[in-house]
């Protein structure tokens, strides 16, 4: 159950703030060089999400270390 | 650093097994009913990933509880 409790963060896990939210995480572990298509693919995935959803608010964060890139999007739906 | 250590699981965090892997997590917190477009959107995101990547192996898991649906894909790239 901790997986569910944590995926949207601890702050708003109470049922009283339930709302439609979407979390998209794209993590890429690189064996060697960056894949040339990665940025295009991310952009196209975001286009699909924008096409389907009515976005009220969106938070995007990126993190990188030596061989892992992570893109995290939290989308509050209308 | 624990975030990076855990996102691809603990088993294969050693540098000796580094390879190109992609992890895609789509989590949806529902305020009320399921959104009608969710399945179509997931399918279309998977189409984008298939279009760009050369997939060697793919693991898909889904989990649901009362108000959160999670789709997790781990893709081993060629």
């Amino acid at each position: 159950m901790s997986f569910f409790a944590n995926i949207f963060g601890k702050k708003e896990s109470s049922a009283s703030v339930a709302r439609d939210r979407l979390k998209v995480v794209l993590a890429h572990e690189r064996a060697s060089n960056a894949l040339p298509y990665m940025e295009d693919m991310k952009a196209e995935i975001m286009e699909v999400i924008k096409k389907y959803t009515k976005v009220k608010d969106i938070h995007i964060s990126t993190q990188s270390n030596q061989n892992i890139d992570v893109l995290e999007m939290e989308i509050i739906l209308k």
Side-chain angles (χ1 to χ4, degrees), chain A:
Chain A
M1 287 304 291
S2 62
F3 179 71
F4 284 109
N6 291 326
I7 196 158
F8 284 103
K10 285 164 197 141
K11 295 190 295 289
E12 305 183 84
S13 57
S14 145
S16 64
V17 294
R19 51 187 174 173
D20 277 312
R21 285 195 289 183
L22 202 61
K23 186 138 190 174
V24 182
V25 180
L26 263 173
H28 173 218
E29 185 186 51
R30 282 171 279 111
S32 52
N33 295 324
L35 296 172
Y37 57 73
M38 198 51 64
E39 290 308 309
D40 288 347
M41 191 180 79
K42 283 179 186 172
E44 202 162 322
I45 289 173
M46 291 184 76
E47 284 303 314
V48 172
I49 294 168
K50 274 199 268 182
K51 189 180 88 175
Y52 280 98
T53 58
K54 289 200 173 83
V55 174
K56 190 175 169 187
D57 199 6
I58 188 165
H59 303 279
I60 298 178
S61 70
T62 57
Q63 296 178 73
S64 292
N65 77 354
Q66 203 177 3
N67 68 329
I68 299 181
D69 298 320
V70 181
L71 170 72
E72 234 185 306
M73 288 178 276
E74 185 177 342
I75 300 154
I76 315 292
L77 301 173
K78 270 187 189 157

